[in-house]
Amino acid sequence: MKALIQRVRRASVTVDERTVGAIDHGLLALVGVEKGDDETAAERLLHKLLHYRVFSDEAGKMNLDLQQVEGGLLLVSQFTLAADTRKGLRPSFSSAAPPADGERLFHYLLDRARATWPRVESGEFAANMQVELINDGPVTFLLES
């Protein structure tokens, strides 16, 4: 599993002009599921999401994690993260998990995140979503489990 994380001042996801998820200060995580991913990969990714130190301490160093700053976590499924872009001018999605597997693992990650951390929001799997954010920094990392 992959997650493109962005440290945000706020972020929201809209589907059909209704907000389905929103956070203030925290992390927006665009999540891609690849073939061969399983619950163990989701657990490793969740651990990184909650403990990756991307927030500044009092000295301005990135030493604090999401839980230490009491931030929100907005999870958004994004199968395009599994694209192979090495050849040609059109992405290949041959490494992406089949939709049913992707949905199952995304919801597993979401359920585990909500069971672990009280400030978790999400988009809707396979929906046409509009994501708004104010990137703080900007700070953006690609996490892989």
mmCIF file of all heavy atoms in Angstrom, residues 82-134:
data_model
loop_
_atom_site.group_PDB
_atom_site.id
_atom_site.type_symbol
_atom_site.label_atom_id
_atom_site.label_comp_id
_atom_site.label_asym_id
_atom_site.label_seq_id
_atom_site.Cartn_x
_atom_site.Cartn_y
_atom_site.Cartn_z
ATOM 1 N N ALA A 82 -1.136 3.722 -7.760
ATOM 2 C CA ALA A 82 -0.567 2.433 -8.151
ATOM 3 C C ALA A 82 -0.151 2.406 -9.622
ATOM 4 O O ALA A 82 0.257 1.368 -10.132
ATOM 5 C CB ALA A 82 -1.573 1.317 -7.877
ATOM 6 N N ALA A 83 -0.222 3.536 -10.294
ATOM 7 C CA ALA A 83 0.092 3.588 -11.725
ATOM 8 C C ALA A 83 1.579 3.350 -11.996
ATOM 9 O O ALA A 83 2.435 3.783 -11.230
ATOM 10 C CB ALA A 83 -0.316 4.930 -12.308
ATOM 11 N N ASP A 84 1.840 2.678 -13.098
ATOM 12 C CA ASP A 84 3.210 2.531 -13.596
ATOM 13 C C ASP A 84 3.387 3.605 -14.663
ATOM 14 O O ASP A 84 2.730 3.588 -15.705
ATOM 15 C CB ASP A 84 3.401 1.138 -14.189
ATOM 16 C CG ASP A 84 4.814 0.899 -14.699
ATOM 17 O OD1 ASP A 84 5.632 1.853 -14.705
ATOM 18 O OD2 ASP A 84 5.109 -0.239 -15.087
ATOM 19 N N THR A 85 4.287 4.546 -14.399
ATOM 20 C CA THR A 85 4.493 5.672 -15.310
ATOM 21 C C THR A 85 5.878 5.656 -15.958
ATOM 22 O O THR A 85 6.295 6.645 -16.547
ATOM 23 C CB THR A 85 4.303 7.006 -14.559
ATOM 24 O OG1 THR A 85 5.263 7.071 -13.497
ATOM 25 C CG2 THR A 85 2.900 7.124 -13.998
ATOM 26 N N ARG A 86 6.554 4.523 -15.855
ATOM 27 C CA ARG A 86 7.931 4.456 -16.352
ATOM 28 C C ARG A 86 8.040 4.490 -17.864
ATOM 29 O O ARG A 86 9.032 4.971 -18.404
ATOM 30 C CB ARG A 86 8.622 3.207 -15.817
ATOM 31 C CG ARG A 86 8.842 3.251 -14.302
ATOM 32 C CD ARG A 86 9.385 1.962 -13.800
ATOM 33 N NE ARG A 86 8.300 0.974 -13.869
ATOM 34 C CZ ARG A 86 8.403 -0.264 -13.458
ATOM 35 N NH1 ARG A 86 9.538 -0.700 -12.964
ATOM 36 N NH2 ARG A 86 7.396 -1.088 -13.538
ATOM 37 N N LYS A 87 7.041 3.966 -18.572
ATOM 38 C CA LYS A 87 7.126 3.915 -20.035
ATOM 39 C C LYS A 87 5.933 4.643 -20.647
ATOM 40 O O LYS A 87 4.837 4.625 -20.112
ATOM 41 C CB LYS A 87 7.116 2.460 -20.517
ATOM 42 C CG LYS A 87 8.341 1.673 -20.103
ATOM 43 C CD LYS A 87 8.401 0.330 -20.799
ATOM 44 C CE LYS A 87 7.470 -0.640 -20.109
ATOM 45 N NZ LYS A 87 7.551 -2.000 -20.615
ATOM 46 N N GLY A 88 6.186 5.250 -21.787
ATOM 47 C CA GLY A 88 5.108 5.850 -22.563
ATOM 48 C C GLY A 88 4.550 7.120 -21.944
ATOM 49 O O GLY A 88 5.099 7.679 -21.007
ATOM 50 N N LEU A 89 3.416 7.535 -22.519
ATOM 51 C CA LEU A 89 2.784 8.776 -22.099
ATOM 52 C C LEU A 89 1.386 8.556 -21.546
ATOM 53 O O LEU A 89 0.600 9.504 -21.427
ATOM 54 C CB LEU A 89 2.735 9.755 -23.278
ATOM 55 C CG LEU A 89 4.105 10.169 -23.826
ATOM 56 C CD1 LEU A 89 3.950 11.041 -25.058
ATOM 57 C CD2 LEU A 89 4.914 10.884 -22.753
ATOM 58 N N ARG A 90 1.083 7.301 -21.213
ATOM 59 C CA ARG A 90 -0.207 6.983 -20.614
ATOM 60 C C ARG A 90 0.057 6.032 -19.464
ATOM 61 O O ARG A 90 0.787 5.047 -19.618
ATOM 62 C CB ARG A 90 -1.117 6.328 -21.646
ATOM 63 C CG ARG A 90 -2.491 6.035 -21.112
ATOM 64 C CD ARG A 90 -3.444 5.649 -22.229
ATOM 65 N NE ARG A 90 -4.784 5.570 -21.699
ATOM 66 C CZ ARG A 90 -5.582 4.549 -21.876
ATOM 67 N NH1 ARG A 90 -5.184 3.524 -22.604
ATOM 68 N NH2 ARG A 90 -6.778 4.545 -21.366
ATOM 69 N N PRO A 91 -0.529 6.288 -18.287
ATOM 70 C CA PRO A 91 -0.264 5.418 -17.150
ATOM 71 C C PRO A 91 -0.865 4.026 -17.336
ATOM 72 O O PRO A 91 -1.911 3.866 -17.954
ATOM 73 C CB PRO A 91 -0.935 6.134 -15.976
ATOM 74 C CG PRO A 91 -1.979 6.993 -16.607
ATOM 75 C CD PRO A 91 -1.444 7.376 -17.956
ATOM 76 N N SER A 92 -0.172 3.044 -16.779
ATOM 77 C CA SER A 92 -0.682 1.678 -16.753
ATOM 78 C C SER A 92 -1.104 1.375 -15.325
ATOM 79 O O SER A 92 -0.395 1.717 -14.384
ATOM 80 C CB SER A 92 0.411 0.706 -17.178
ATOM 81 O OG SER A 92 0.022 -0.619 -16.869
ATOM 82 N N PHE A 93 -2.243 0.748 -15.171
ATOM 83 C CA PHE A 93 -2.738 0.425 -13.833
ATOM 84 C C PHE A 93 -2.667 -1.067 -13.552
ATOM 85 O O PHE A 93 -3.386 -1.588 -12.708
ATOM 86 C CB PHE A 93 -4.163 0.961 -13.660
ATOM 87 C CG PHE A 93 -4.215 2.456 -13.780
ATOM 88 C CD1 PHE A 93 -4.725 3.055 -14.919
ATOM 89 C CD2 PHE A 93 -3.715 3.262 -12.775
ATOM 90 C CE1 PHE A 93 -4.743 4.434 -15.042
ATOM 91 C CE2 PHE A 93 -3.731 4.642 -12.876
ATOM 92 C CZ PHE A 93 -4.249 5.228 -14.021
ATOM 93 N N SER A 94 -1.764 -1.752 -14.246
ATOM 94 C CA SER A 94 -1.651 -3.198 -14.090
ATOM 95 C C SER A 94 -1.204 -3.607 -12.693
ATOM 96 O O SER A 94 -1.441 -4.739 -12.280
ATOM 97 C CB SER A 94 -0.701 -3.774 -15.141
ATOM 98 O OG SER A 94 0.584 -3.208 -15.002
ATOM 99 N N SER A 95 -0.574 -2.721 -11.946
ATOM 100 C CA SER A 95 -0.133 -3.078 -10.590
ATOM 101 C C SER A 95 -1.171 -2.708 -9.522
ATOM 102 O O SER A 95 -0.996 -3.035 -8.349
ATOM 103 C CB SER A 95 1.207 -2.415 -10.266
ATOM 104 O OG SER A 95 1.088 -1.016 -10.324
ATOM 105 N N ALA A 96 -2.248 -2.050 -9.919
ATOM 106 C CA ALA A 96 -3.300 -1.698 -8.958
ATOM 107 C C ALA A 96 -4.088 -2.942 -8.567
ATOM 108 O O ALA A 96 -4.295 -3.850 -9.380
ATOM 109 C CB ALA A 96 -4.245 -0.663 -9.564
ATOM 110 N N ALA A 97 -4.524 -2.963 -7.329
ATOM 111 C CA ALA A 97 -5.368 -4.072 -6.864
ATOM 112 C C ALA A 97 -6.707 -4.022 -7.597
ATOM 113 O O ALA A 97 -7.181 -2.932 -7.958
ATOM 114 C CB ALA A 97 -5.593 -3.960 -5.361
ATOM 115 N N PRO A 98 -7.342 -5.165 -7.825
ATOM 116 C CA PRO A 98 -8.692 -5.154 -8.387
ATOM 117 C C PRO A 98 -9.609 -4.318 -7.479
ATOM 118 O O PRO A 98 -9.385 -4.258 -6.263
ATOM 119 C CB PRO A 98 -9.106 -6.629 -8.381
ATOM 120 C CG PRO A 98 -7.813 -7.389 -8.355
ATOM 121 C CD PRO A 98 -6.855 -6.535 -7.583
ATOM 122 N N PRO A 99 -10.626 -3.675 -8.054
ATOM 123 C CA PRO A 99 -11.478 -2.786 -7.260
ATOM 124 C C PRO A 99 -12.024 -3.403 -5.965
ATOM 125 O O PRO A 99 -12.022 -2.744 -4.924
ATOM 126 C CB PRO A 99 -12.612 -2.424 -8.220
ATOM 127 C CG PRO A 99 -11.987 -2.533 -9.574
ATOM 128 C CD PRO A 99 -11.011 -3.675 -9.463
ATOM 129 N N ALA A 100 -12.461 -4.647 -6.004
ATOM 130 C CA ALA A 100 -13.015 -5.267 -4.788
ATOM 131 C C ALA A 100 -11.954 -5.395 -3.701
ATOM 132 O O ALA A 100 -12.231 -5.137 -2.513
ATOM 133 C CB ALA A 100 -13.614 -6.631 -5.114
ATOM 134 N N ASP A 101 -10.739 -5.776 -4.090
ATOM 135 C CA ASP A 101 -9.647 -5.883 -3.111
ATOM 136 C C ASP A 101 -9.246 -4.511 -2.594
ATOM 137 O O ASP A 101 -8.984 -4.330 -1.400
ATOM 138 C CB ASP A 101 -8.426 -6.567 -3.727
ATOM 139 C CG ASP A 101 -8.663 -8.032 -4.038
ATOM 140 O OD1 ASP A 101 -9.635 -8.612 -3.499
ATOM 141 O OD2 ASP A 101 -7.882 -8.595 -4.838
ATOM 142 N N GLY A 102 -9.178 -3.533 -3.498
ATOM 143 C CA GLY A 102 -8.842 -2.179 -3.089
ATOM 144 C C GLY A 102 -9.844 -1.626 -2.102
ATOM 145 O O GLY A 102 -9.475 -1.021 -1.087
ATOM 146 N N GLU A 103 -11.116 -1.830 -2.376
ATOM 147 C CA GLU A 103 -12.162 -1.345 -1.472
ATOM 148 C C GLU A 103 -12.083 -2.032 -0.117
ATOM 149 O O GLU A 103 -12.165 -1.388 0.929
ATOM 150 C CB GLU A 103 -13.542 -1.558 -2.098
ATOM 151 C CG GLU A 103 -14.664 -1.002 -1.239
ATOM 152 C CD GLU A 103 -16.011 -1.056 -1.924
ATOM 153 O OE1 GLU A 103 -16.177 -1.811 -2.907
ATOM 154 O OE2 GLU A 103 -16.909 -0.322 -1.474
ATOM 155 N N ARG A 104 -11.904 -3.336 -0.128
ATOM 156 C CA ARG A 104 -11.825 -4.084 1.130
ATOM 157 C C ARG A 104 -10.655 -3.596 1.982
ATOM 158 O O ARG A 104 -10.814 -3.336 3.174
ATOM 159 C CB ARG A 104 -11.687 -5.585 0.834
ATOM 160 C CG ARG A 104 -11.612 -6.465 2.081
ATOM 161 C CD ARG A 104 -11.464 -7.930 1.711
ATOM 162 N NE ARG A 104 -10.300 -8.218 0.885
ATOM 163 C CZ ARG A 104 -9.043 -8.296 1.353
ATOM 164 N NH1 ARG A 104 -8.803 -8.112 2.621
ATOM 165 N NH2 ARG A 104 -8.045 -8.580 0.532
ATOM 166 N N LEU A 105 -9.484 -3.433 1.369
ATOM 167 C CA LEU A 105 -8.311 -3.013 2.143
ATOM 168 C C LEU A 105 -8.377 -1.545 2.552
ATOM 169 O O LEU A 105 -7.929 -1.188 3.647
ATOM 170 C CB LEU A 105 -7.030 -3.302 1.374
ATOM 171 C CG LEU A 105 -6.624 -4.767 1.399
ATOM 172 C CD1 LEU A 105 -5.471 -5.033 0.446
ATOM 173 C CD2 LEU A 105 -6.247 -5.197 2.806
ATOM 174 N N PHE A 106 -8.949 -0.697 1.703
ATOM 175 C CA PHE A 106 -9.113 0.701 2.104
ATOM 176 C C PHE A 106 -10.038 0.790 3.316
ATOM 177 O O PHE A 106 -9.750 1.504 4.274
ATOM 178 C CB PHE A 106 -9.647 1.562 0.950
ATOM 179 C CG PHE A 106 -9.871 2.987 1.368
ATOM 180 C CD1 PHE A 106 -8.795 3.856 1.490
ATOM 181 C CD2 PHE A 106 -11.137 3.454 1.671
ATOM 182 C CE1 PHE A 106 -8.983 5.172 1.916
ATOM 183 C CE2 PHE A 106 -11.339 4.759 2.091
ATOM 184 C CZ PHE A 106 -10.261 5.622 2.208
ATOM 185 N N HIS A 107 -11.140 0.053 3.277
ATOM 186 C CA HIS A 107 -12.070 0.087 4.411
ATOM 187 C C HIS A 107 -11.471 -0.566 5.659
ATOM 188 O O HIS A 107 -11.754 -0.144 6.782
ATOM 189 C CB HIS A 107 -13.419 -0.529 4.035
ATOM 190 C CG HIS A 107 -14.240 0.408 3.206
ATOM 191 N ND1 HIS A 107 -14.826 1.544 3.705
ATOM 192 C CD2 HIS A 107 -14.526 0.401 1.885
ATOM 193 C CE1 HIS A 107 -15.454 2.191 2.759
ATOM 194 N NE2 HIS A 107 -15.288 1.509 1.626
ATOM 195 N N TYR A 108 -10.646 -1.572 5.469
ATOM 196 C CA TYR A 108 -9.930 -2.159 6.602
ATOM 197 C C TYR A 108 -9.039 -1.097 7.242
ATOM 198 O O TYR A 108 -9.046 -0.918 8.465
ATOM 199 C CB TYR A 108 -9.103 -3.365 6.151
ATOM 200 C CG TYR A 108 -8.308 -3.985 7.269
ATOM 201 C CD1 TYR A 108 -8.886 -4.936 8.103
ATOM 202 C CD2 TYR A 108 -6.990 -3.614 7.515
ATOM 203 C CE1 TYR A 108 -8.168 -5.492 9.151
ATOM 204 C CE2 TYR A 108 -6.262 -4.162 8.554
ATOM 205 C CZ TYR A 108 -6.860 -5.100 9.371
ATOM 206 O OH TYR A 108 -6.143 -5.644 10.421
ATOM 207 N N LEU A 109 -8.265 -0.381 6.423
ATOM 208 C CA LEU A 109 -7.395 0.687 6.925
ATOM 209 C C LEU A 109 -8.222 1.749 7.636
ATOM 210 O O LEU A 109 -7.875 2.189 8.741
ATOM 211 C CB LEU A 109 -6.608 1.305 5.770
ATOM 212 C CG LEU A 109 -5.742 2.520 6.110
ATOM 213 C CD1 LEU A 109 -4.575 2.115 7.009
ATOM 214 C CD2 LEU A 109 -5.232 3.178 4.839
ATOM 215 N N LEU A 110 -9.313 2.157 7.034
ATOM 216 C CA LEU A 110 -10.179 3.177 7.624
ATOM 217 C C LEU A 110 -10.754 2.711 8.961
ATOM 218 O O LEU A 110 -10.725 3.445 9.955
ATOM 219 C CB LEU A 110 -11.302 3.529 6.638
ATOM 220 C CG LEU A 110 -12.323 4.553 7.095
ATOM 221 C CD1 LEU A 110 -11.664 5.886 7.434
ATOM 222 C CD2 LEU A 110 -13.387 4.728 6.004
ATOM 223 N N ASP A 111 -11.263 1.495 9.018
ATOM 224 C CA ASP A 111 -11.823 0.963 10.268
ATOM 225 C C ASP A 111 -10.772 0.873 11.365
ATOM 226 O O ASP A 111 -11.024 1.229 12.520
ATOM 227 C CB ASP A 111 -12.452 -0.414 10.041
ATOM 228 C CG ASP A 111 -13.711 -0.358 9.200
ATOM 229 O OD1 ASP A 111 -14.280 0.739 9.016
ATOM 230 O OD2 ASP A 111 -14.117 -1.427 8.679
ATOM 231 N N ARG A 112 -9.579 0.388 11.006
ATOM 232 C CA ARG A 112 -8.485 0.289 11.996
ATOM 233 C C ARG A 112 -8.044 1.676 12.462
ATOM 234 O O ARG A 112 -7.759 1.882 13.630
ATOM 235 C CB ARG A 112 -7.302 -0.486 11.404
ATOM 236 C CG ARG A 112 -7.592 -1.957 11.170
ATOM 237 C CD ARG A 112 -7.738 -2.749 12.475
ATOM 238 N NE ARG A 112 -6.495 -2.641 13.233
ATOM 239 C CZ ARG A 112 -6.427 -2.252 14.513
ATOM 240 N NH1 ARG A 112 -7.512 -1.967 15.194
ATOM 241 N NH2 ARG A 112 -5.260 -2.174 15.115
ATOM 242 N N ALA A 113 -7.988 2.635 11.537
ATOM 243 C CA ALA A 113 -7.614 4.006 11.907
ATOM 244 C C ALA A 113 -8.626 4.594 12.876
ATOM 245 O O ALA A 113 -8.250 5.190 13.896
ATOM 246 C CB ALA A 113 -7.490 4.878 10.655
ATOM 247 N N ARG A 114 -9.913 4.398 12.592
ATOM 248 C CA ARG A 114 -10.963 4.936 13.473
ATOM 249 C C ARG A 114 -10.962 4.255 14.838
ATOM 250 O O ARG A 114 -11.306 4.871 15.845
ATOM 251 C CB ARG A 114 -12.320 4.803 12.807
ATOM 252 C CG ARG A 114 -12.496 5.813 11.692
ATOM 253 C CD ARG A 114 -13.854 5.720 11.052
ATOM 254 N NE ARG A 114 -14.061 6.874 10.166
ATOM 255 C CZ ARG A 114 -14.854 6.858 9.119
ATOM 256 N NH1 ARG A 114 -15.525 5.752 8.794
ATOM 257 N NH2 ARG A 114 -14.986 7.934 8.379
ATOM 258 N N ALA A 115 -10.562 2.994 14.880
ATOM 259 C CA ALA A 115 -10.485 2.276 16.153
ATOM 260 C C ALA A 115 -9.276 2.727 16.976
ATOM 261 O O ALA A 115 -9.253 2.539 18.188
ATOM 262 C CB ALA A 115 -10.415 0.768 15.913
ATOM 263 N N THR A 116 -8.286 3.309 16.307
ATOM 264 C CA THR A 116 -7.033 3.683 16.955
ATOM 265 C C THR A 116 -6.958 5.167 17.289
ATOM 266 O O THR A 116 -6.352 5.543 18.284
ATOM 267 C CB THR A 116 -5.849 3.325 16.021
ATOM 268 O OG1 THR A 116 -5.960 1.949 15.659
ATOM 269 C CG2 THR A 116 -4.514 3.560 16.691
ATOM 270 N N TRP A 117 -7.549 6.008 16.470
ATOM 271 C CA TRP A 117 -7.404 7.452 16.600
ATOM 272 C C TRP A 117 -8.771 8.118 16.439
ATOM 273 O O TRP A 117 -9.498 7.804 15.483
ATOM 274 C CB TRP A 117 -6.414 7.965 15.546
ATOM 275 C CG TRP A 117 -6.054 9.405 15.688
ATOM 276 C CD1 TRP A 117 -6.254 10.384 14.761
ATOM 277 C CD2 TRP A 117 -5.441 10.041 16.805
ATOM 278 N NE1 TRP A 117 -5.801 11.583 15.240
ATOM 279 C CE2 TRP A 117 -5.299 11.408 16.502
ATOM 280 C CE3 TRP A 117 -5.009 9.593 18.054
ATOM 281 C CZ2 TRP A 117 -4.743 12.327 17.387
ATOM 282 C CZ3 TRP A 117 -4.447 10.502 18.931
ATOM 283 C CH2 TRP A 117 -4.317 11.849 18.592
ATOM 284 N N PRO A 118 -9.138 9.036 17.315
ATOM 285 C CA PRO A 118 -10.496 9.598 17.276
ATOM 286 C C PRO A 118 -10.754 10.635 16.187
ATOM 287 O O PRO A 118 -11.905 10.960 15.917
ATOM 288 C CB PRO A 118 -10.641 10.237 18.664
ATOM 289 C CG PRO A 118 -9.251 10.581 19.071
ATOM 290 C CD PRO A 118 -8.380 9.493 18.486
ATOM 291 N N ARG A 119 -9.730 11.125 15.531
ATOM 292 C CA ARG A 119 -9.896 12.205 14.559
ATOM 293 C C ARG A 119 -9.630 11.706 13.132
ATOM 294 O O ARG A 119 -8.691 12.147 12.490
ATOM 295 C CB ARG A 119 -8.952 13.348 14.900
ATOM 296 C CG ARG A 119 -9.270 14.016 16.205
ATOM 297 C CD ARG A 119 -8.227 15.069 16.571
ATOM 298 N NE ARG A 119 -8.517 15.660 17.850
ATOM 299 C CZ ARG A 119 -8.062 15.203 19.005
ATOM 300 N NH1 ARG A 119 -7.286 14.145 19.026
ATOM 301 N NH2 ARG A 119 -8.383 15.797 20.140
ATOM 302 N N VAL A 120 -10.464 10.791 12.656
ATOM 303 C CA VAL A 120 -10.287 10.208 11.321
ATOM 304 C C VAL A 120 -11.525 10.492 10.485
ATOM 305 O O VAL A 120 -12.648 10.247 10.919
ATOM 306 C CB VAL A 120 -10.035 8.682 11.395
ATOM 307 C CG1 VAL A 120 -9.931 8.082 10.002
ATOM 308 C CG2 VAL A 120 -8.789 8.385 12.215
ATOM 309 N N GLU A 121 -11.289 11.009 9.288
ATOM 310 C CA GLU A 121 -12.344 11.266 8.313
ATOM 311 C C GLU A 121 -11.936 10.580 7.008
ATOM 312 O O GLU A 121 -10.788 10.170 6.853
ATOM 313 C CB GLU A 121 -12.508 12.769 8.085
ATOM 314 C CG GLU A 121 -12.955 13.545 9.309
ATOM 315 C CD GLU A 121 -14.436 13.400 9.585
ATOM 316 O OE1 GLU A 121 -15.204 13.205 8.627
ATOM 317 O OE2 GLU A 121 -14.819 13.480 10.769
ATOM 318 N N SER A 122 -12.873 10.509 6.055
ATOM 319 C CA SER A 122 -12.513 9.879 4.781
ATOM 320 C C SER A 122 -13.378 10.403 3.646
ATOM 321 O O SER A 122 -14.428 11.008 3.876
ATOM 322 C CB SER A 122 -12.656 8.360 4.860
ATOM 323 O OG SER A 122 -14.010 7.991 4.799
ATOM 324 N N GLY A 123 -12.888 10.101 2.448
ATOM 325 C CA GLY A 123 -13.679 10.314 1.250
ATOM 326 C C GLY A 123 -14.548 9.083 1.037
ATOM 327 O O GLY A 123 -14.730 8.278 1.948
ATOM 328 N N GLU A 124 -15.078 8.924 -0.183
ATOM 329 C CA GLU A 124 -15.892 7.761 -0.528
ATOM 330 C C GLU A 124 -15.148 6.951 -1.583
ATOM 331 O O GLU A 124 -14.767 7.496 -2.629
ATOM 332 C CB GLU A 124 -17.259 8.182 -1.068
ATOM 333 C CG GLU A 124 -18.158 8.765 -0.017
ATOM 334 C CD GLU A 124 -19.536 9.130 -0.566
ATOM 335 O OE1 GLU A 124 -19.854 8.777 -1.735
ATOM 336 O OE2 GLU A 124 -20.280 9.779 0.162
ATOM 337 N N PHE A 125 -15.000 5.671 -1.332
ATOM 338 C CA PHE A 125 -14.279 4.804 -2.258
ATOM 339 C C PHE A 125 -14.946 4.838 -3.633
ATOM 340 O O PHE A 125 -16.167 4.727 -3.753
ATOM 341 C CB PHE A 125 -14.236 3.366 -1.721
ATOM 342 C CG PHE A 125 -13.342 2.483 -2.533
ATOM 343 C CD1 PHE A 125 -11.990 2.412 -2.256
ATOM 344 C CD2 PHE A 125 -13.841 1.759 -3.603
ATOM 345 C CE1 PHE A 125 -11.143 1.624 -3.024
ATOM 346 C CE2 PHE A 125 -13.014 0.956 -4.372
ATOM 347 C CZ PHE A 125 -11.669 0.896 -4.077
ATOM 348 N N ALA A 126 -14.135 5.007 -4.672
ATOM 349 C CA ALA A 126 -14.538 4.978 -6.084
ATOM 350 C C ALA A 126 -15.472 6.118 -6.498
ATOM 351 O O ALA A 126 -16.010 6.091 -7.597
ATOM 352 C CB ALA A 126 -15.166 3.632 -6.448
ATOM 353 N N ALA A 127 -15.652 7.106 -5.647
ATOM 354 C CA ALA A 127 -16.494 8.252 -6.016
ATOM 355 C C ALA A 127 -15.657 9.277 -6.765
ATOM 356 O O ALA A 127 -14.427 9.300 -6.669
ATOM 357 C CB ALA A 127 -17.094 8.880 -4.768
ATOM 358 N N ASN A 128 -16.330 10.143 -7.492
ATOM 359 C CA ASN A 128 -15.672 11.293 -8.099
ATOM 360 C C ASN A 128 -15.605 12.357 -7.004
ATOM 361 O O ASN A 128 -16.612 12.975 -6.666
ATOM 362 C CB ASN A 128 -16.462 11.789 -9.306
ATOM 363 C CG ASN A 128 -15.781 12.955 -9.990
ATOM 364 O OD1 ASN A 128 -14.687 13.367 -9.619
ATOM 365 N ND2 ASN A 128 -16.438 13.505 -10.993
ATOM 366 N N MET A 129 -14.418 12.536 -6.441
ATOM 367 C CA MET A 129 -14.242 13.407 -5.273
ATOM 368 C C MET A 129 -13.496 14.674 -5.655
ATOM 369 O O MET A 129 -12.610 14.650 -6.506
ATOM 370 C CB MET A 129 -13.459 12.673 -4.180
ATOM 371 C CG MET A 129 -14.163 11.442 -3.637
ATOM 372 S SD MET A 129 -13.170 10.539 -2.436
ATOM 373 C CE MET A 129 -12.180 9.511 -3.523
ATOM 374 N N GLN A 130 -13.844 15.745 -4.988
ATOM 375 C CA GLN A 130 -13.081 16.975 -5.072
ATOM 376 C C GLN A 130 -12.407 17.158 -3.712
ATOM 377 O O GLN A 130 -13.072 17.138 -2.677
ATOM 378 C CB GLN A 130 -13.973 18.190 -5.370
ATOM 379 C CG GLN A 130 -14.492 18.216 -6.810
ATOM 380 C CD GLN A 130 -15.504 17.130 -7.097
ATOM 381 O OE1 GLN A 130 -16.479 16.973 -6.361
ATOM 382 N NE2 GLN A 130 -15.284 16.350 -8.136
ATOM 383 N N VAL A 131 -11.095 17.295 -3.747
ATOM 384 C CA VAL A 131 -10.312 17.421 -2.517
ATOM 385 C C VAL A 131 -9.764 18.835 -2.444
ATOM 386 O O VAL A 131 -9.123 19.301 -3.385
ATOM 387 C CB VAL A 131 -9.153 16.396 -2.481
ATOM 388 C CG1 VAL A 131 -8.340 16.539 -1.213
ATOM 389 C CG2 VAL A 131 -9.697 14.977 -2.633
ATOM 390 N N GLU A 132 -10.042 19.498 -1.347
ATOM 391 C CA GLU A 132 -9.499 20.836 -1.103
ATOM 392 C C GLU A 132 -8.568 20.755 0.083
ATOM 393 O O GLU A 132 -8.846 20.039 1.052
ATOM 394 C CB GLU A 132 -10.619 21.828 -0.786
ATOM 395 C CG GLU A 132 -11.456 22.208 -1.977
ATOM 396 C CD GLU A 132 -12.407 23.333 -1.635
ATOM 397 O OE1 GLU A 132 -11.929 24.410 -1.203
ATOM 398 O OE2 GLU A 132 -13.610 23.128 -1.784
ATOM 399 N N LEU A 133 -7.451 21.495 -0.010
ATOM 400 C CA LEU A 133 -6.523 21.488 1.109
ATOM 401 C C LEU A 133 -5.693 22.754 1.117
ATOM 402 O O LEU A 133 -5.508 23.396 0.091
ATOM 403 C CB LEU A 133 -5.585 20.279 1.035
ATOM 404 C CG LEU A 133 -4.610 20.270 -0.141
ATOM 405 C CD1 LEU A 133 -3.221 19.941 0.357
ATOM 406 C CD2 LEU A 133 -5.065 19.278 -1.170
ATOM 407 N N ILE A 134 -5.211 23.060 2.284
ATOM 408 C CA ILE A 134 -4.172 24.064 2.441
ATOM 409 C C ILE A 134 -2.977 23.304 2.981
ATOM 410 O O ILE A 134 -2.964 22.859 4.130
ATOM 411 C CB ILE A 134 -4.594 25.205 3.384
ATOM 412 C CG1 ILE A 134 -5.768 25.957 2.785
ATOM 413 C CG2 ILE A 134 -3.409 26.138 3.625
ATOM 414 C CD1 ILE A 134 -6.288 27.092 3.619
#
